[in-house]
Structure formats: C-alpha cells, structure tokens
Amino acid sequence: MKLLNHATAWFSVLLLVIITVWAGLFYVNMLDEIYDSMDDGLENQKMLVLRKAAQDTTVLARTEFDDGYYKVKEVPFSAALRQKDVYQDTLMYMLNEKDFEPVRMLTTVFQQGSKYYELRVITSMVEEDDLIEDLVFALLWLYGGLIATILVLNNLLLKRIWRPFYYLLQRLQRFKLQDAQPFPTLQTNIDEFRLLNQTVEKLLQSNVATYQSQKNFIENAAHELQTPLAISLNKLELLAEGGNLQDQQLAQIGEVMENLERLTRLNKSLLLLSKIENRQFNGQEEVRLAEVVQKALADFQDQLQFRNLSLTQQIDGDPLLRMNPDLAMMLVTNLLKNAIVHNMAGGLVHVSLSAITFTLENTGPSKPLNSEQLFQRFYKESPSSASTGLGLSIAKAICDLYGFQIGYEYRQSRHVLQVQFT
C-alpha cells in the first residue's frame, strides 16, 4: 500500500470514529435543547391558559383535548397539595396522521376561587426515530464528502507535495553501484526532503567510493597473487624436471605444487565470486540452456569415464534465459562438477532439464547434507577434500544475481540440486 493511501485509510477510520462519537454527543445535546425549548413553550402556554381562565370561566369546562391544546378537571385539595409540575412524553391520536404520535405534556395544578383544578397542556414534539434517521443520513453525507475531499487532496495537493520523495525513490530503484551515474534530485522548499536528498547523496557517494575501492583491491590482489603463484609453480616444475632430486624430495615438491595449484584455484574462485556479487558481469543475451548443458556434458565426458560414472539425461525443454553466457556455463559446470566430484566410483549422475527447472541428481554419501550450510563459502562435507568449497557458493551467487531459486534435497538415496528459473 502506498504511503498516501495508507494515510488516507487511517484518516478514514479515525474520522469515522470521531464523527460517530461527535454524533452521539450532538444528538444528546440537541434533544436536551429541544426538550428545554418545548418545556419553556409549555410553561408559557400554561400562563396563557391561567390568564384566560381568570377572565373566562368557560375555560374550566374544557375537559378534553378535542379541539385544543389543553384540558382542565377539578381535583380535591388533598390531591392538589401533592401535585407538582410534571413534564412527560406521551402519545396522542392525531387525525391528520391517523395514528398515535408523540407529544410533550405539562401537568400542573392551579386554584381558581375556592376550587382546585388540574391543567394538562400539550405540544407536538419531534419523533426521535425520524430525527435519528435524518441525523444518520446527514452524517453519512458529511463523512462521504470529507472522504472525497481527502482523496482529492491526496491526488492533487499531497501528491504534488510528496513529488520529491517519489522522485528520489525512482532514482534509488534505478541506481547501480557498478554503473554509478550522477544522482540529480528535485529542488524543494521542504526542509525534511532537502535533508533526505543530502543524506542519500552522501550515502551513495560513500558507497560508490567504497565499492570502487573494494573492486580495485580485489582486482589488484588477485593479479598480484596470480603472478607469484605462477612463478612459483614454474620454478618448482623446472626444479622437479632437473633430475638431480631424490624421490622424497620430488614427493615434497609435488605436495607443494598441489597446494599452490589449489591456492591458484581458490584465488580465481574468490575473484569470480566477488565479481558476481558486485554485478560486474554486465553483458547479457538470450542463452539457450539446453545447448549449454550439452556442451558441459561433452566437456566432462573424460571425468565421467575416469570415475566410471553412469550418466543419464532427460531434456524436456530448452529454457531461453537472458543472462551472461559465461555465467550460464559456470552455473551448469559448477553443478555438474559438484555431482561428479562428490560421487562414488561406479555411481550415477542424472541430468534433467525442463522449461522451468534444471536438476542434477547424483549418488554419494548415504546421508543428507546440511542444506542450511551447503551454499555457504568454504563449506565442505569432508575437511580433507581437495575442493575449495566455493563451487556451490558461486552457483548460488549466479542464481541470486538473476532471481533464480536453487535448492537441495535428499531423496531415494540421491542428492538432488535443482534450479528454478521462475
């Protein structure tokens, strides 16, 4: 949900609560005011009737409300003594409505000569159900109008105010460290947005500088390491070919060369992994994965035969992926090499490819691997293994770069690695 819509939703809920509470208070106060006004009117009608009765005794003969708003009846002194002015709501039959309607009635007692009379004065009152209905409809219209006003303000005024913020978000979404471009911002008079623009610009400049420094360090370190490693290997090879060494010395030289070769592979793998994570492989094109898989299988035929591994394949699709072709080959090669290296003599490798998945199954250790650590750097099931422990880390980095999903399962005594492209 967008920020403006989120704020509108909260405004709508709060406004509904506030209007509801306000409507209740307004209704109670309005009824109280209506009753006060009617009671004042009844008091005034009572005084008019008493004045009229003092001048015209026929008023005392009106005992029903047939054609008037009051009626009078004689009461004994004892009853008059206990009677106080009473205001109450009651119902009376109205000819025009042909139904009983609510009225407000004042009951009081007065003395005329030596006699005492009870006077009842009535006045029409507002029907509460009609009042509530009208109030509810009025409040609904008010609420709808306020919500419509808020929406209009959001789309016209607030969206214009927040334009620098959304522009900044769009620029951040398109920003790439490996292809850093100047970061223009919209001019604004709002202090918070200006501070945000300055902070983001400083942060990006710092990140770009750090990225370039790290990139240069990795490239320089890799280059500086490769040269002495290559020189050391060449000199050891020349020393071994000299022919004046004993078997024990040759064996020691062989171990040193093996460690140097492993260090060389490790250096190349770390450099490759760093380049992938830093998105330095920019060239992308349409890659047919079936062709990549077939080429990789052909390259590994000698290793498969050397380890006496049976290869089966099932190609049911040819995914067309937009990615760097070198990385596509690295992904397939690393997964296939992992299935061969961590297999057992006379084992099985099964390769399957569909429109959305690439799967490799292989025999190997008779227990599942640690799926949580399998794709971490330098993870090896056997500490003595000659592997660098970076092959699956590189495969995972390639998958993360292009949004693929890679996972591991152990089923039917086989280790299964699967890459999903969607």
Side-chain angles (χ1 to χ4, degrees):
M1 179 182 292
K2 290 186 177 181
L3 179 62
L4 292 179
N5 294 335
H6 186 72
T8 301
W10 275 105
F11 280 142
S12 302
V13 173
L14 291 175
L15 195 60
L16 180 61
V17 173
I18 292 172
I19 287 181
T20 303
V21 174
W22 176 85
L25 296 175
F26 175 76
Y27 177 74
V28 172
N29 290 331
M30 185 173 60
L31 277 185
D32 183 65
E33 188 65 29
I34 290 174
Y35 278 122
D36 285 344
S37 178
M38 287 190 297
D39 291 347
D40 290 342
L42 289 173
E43 182 69 23
N44 183 64
Q45 290 177 359
K46 164 192 165 183
M47 296 174 65
L48 293 175
V49 171
L50 292 181
R51 180 184 297 177
K52 189 175 180 181
Q55 300 173 357
D56 185 3
T57 56
T58 59
V59 172
L60 304 177
R62 187 186 295 273
T63 58
E64 297 295 336
F65 292 110
D66 293 336
D67 57 351
Y69 59 89
Y70 66 92
K71 72 175 183 177
V72 181
K73 73 172 181 178
E74 186 177 351
V75 295
F77 173 74
S78 58
L81 190 62
R82 298 190 302 269
Q83 184 68 46
K84 296 182 179 180
D85 288 357
V86 176
Y87 297 91
Q88 65 185 91
D89 298 333
T90 185
L91 295 175
M92 287 192 64
Y93 186 82
M94 300 294 180
L95 291 176
N96 60 331
E97 298 288 344
K98 296 182 180 180
D99 195 5
F100 286 91
E101 297 292 334
V103 295
R104 185 74 168 169
M105 182 170 66
L106 167 62
T107 303
T108 186
V109 173
F110 68 95
Q111 182 181 2
Q112 183 77 15
S114 60
K115 296 182 180 180
Y116 294 90
Y117 299 91
E118 180 187 77
L119 172 64
R120 295 191 176 187
V121 185
I122 61 171
T123 185
S124 298
M125 63 179 297
V126 179
E127 297 185 35
E128 290 191 29
D129 54 348
D130 292 340
L131 181 62
I132 293 175
E133 182 179 351
D134 292 341
L135 181 60
V136 168
F137 278 114
L139 291 176
L140 288 177
W141 278 105
L142 175 62
Y143 180 72
L146 290 174
I147 295 299
T149 302
I150 291 175
L151 292 175
V152 171
L153 287 176
N154 277 351
N155 289 316
L156 296 180
L157 179 60
L158 293 182
K159 190 172 290 187
R160 184 182 183 87
I161 294 175
W162 282 85
R163 185 181 298 171
F165 176 75
Y166 288 112
Y167 179 78
L168 179 63
L169 285 182
Q170 293 175 358
R171 295 295 301 170
L172 286 174
Q173 288 175 340
R174 294 194 294 266
F175 183 80
K176 296 180 181 179
L177 275 174
Q178 63 273 21
D179 187 23
Q181 299 293 332
F183 196 84
T185 56
L186 285 180
Q187 296 298 322
T188 175
N189 296 324
I190 301 175
D191 293 339
E192 288 79 4
F193 287 159
R194 284 208 306 269
L195 180 60
L196 179 62
N197 289 337
Q198 294 171 3
T199 304
V200 170
E201 186 175 0
K202 290 180 181 178
L203 179 63
L204 292 180
Q205 289 177 355
S206 175
N207 286 342
V208 169
T210 303
Y211 168 78
Q212 292 296 338
S213 176
Q214 180 185 21
K215 177 183 174 183
N216 293 335
F217 171 78
I218 292 173
E219 292 177 350
N220 293 335
H223 175 73
E224 294 299 327
L225 284 173
Q226 284 296 117
T227 301
L229 286 174
I231 294 173
S232 299
L233 283 171
N234 289 334
K235 288 187 176 181
L236 287 173
E237 287 177 357
L238 292 174
L239 183 61
E241 293 173 357
N244 299 322
L245 300 176
Q246 299 178 0
D247 292 341
Q248 184 178 2
Q249 293 173 326
L250 289 174
Q252 291 177 348
I253 291 176
E255 291 178 1
V256 174
M257 291 180 64
E258 183 179 350
N259 287 327
L260 288 176
E261 288 175 351
R262 181 174 178 274
L263 186 58
T264 301
R265 294 196 304 272
L266 181 62
N267 184 54
K268 290 181 178 178
S269 297
L270 285 173
L271 178 60
L272 174 62
L273 187 58
S274 178
K275 286 184 176 181
I276 294 172
E277 292 177 345
N278 291 330
R279 300 177 181 270
Q280 292 177 241
F281 288 87
N282 295 324
Q284 295 186 9
E285 59 185 68
E286 301 293 338
V287 177
R288 292 193 175 276
L289 198 61
E291 296 179 2
V292 177
V293 172
Q294 293 296 342
K295 186 178 184 306
L297 290 175
D299 293 339
F300 279 97
Q301 280 299 320
D302 293 338
Q303 292 191 37
L304 289 167
Q305 293 176 4
F306 177 77
R307 300 204 58 185
N308 194 24
L309 297 176
S310 300
L311 173 67
T312 59
Q313 53 181 302
Q314 181 180 357
I315 309 298
D316 295 329
D318 186 10
L320 187 62
L321 307 177
R322 182 164 185 78
M323 59 187 301
N324 185 285
D326 295 330
L327 292 184
M329 177 58 74
M330 290 178 194
L331 175 63
V332 175
T333 300
N334 281 344
L335 294 178
L336 187 56
K337 182 179 179 181
N338 179 80
I340 294 173
V341 171
H342 299 285
N343 214 317
M344 56 186 180
L348 172 69
V349 176
H350 177 70
V351 179
S352 62
L353 180 66
S354 69
I356 59 174
T357 59
F358 173 57
T359 307
L360 270 166
E361 301 180 30
N362 64 276
T363 52
S366 58
K367 62 178 182 179
L369 304 178
N370 190 331
S371 59
E372 295 182 357
Q373 300 180 0
L374 185 62
F375 299 102
Q376 294 181 4
R377 295 185 183 185
F378 305 113
Y379 172 77
K380 294 188 289 185
E381 190 69 15
S382 174
S384 61
S385 173
S387 170
T388 61
L390 292 175
L392 292 183
S393 298
I394 293 174
K396 179 70 164 56
I398 296 173
C399 290
D400 292 342
L401 179 63
Y402 294 107
F404 304 154
Q405 299 294 324
I406 185 170
Y408 165 80
E409 285 185 85
Y410 181 74
R411 58 173 182 250
Q412 298 179 353
S413 300
R414 293 184 184 180
H415 301 273
V416 181
L417 284 168
Q418 184 176 77
V419 178
Q420 294 184 349
F421 306 117
T422 57

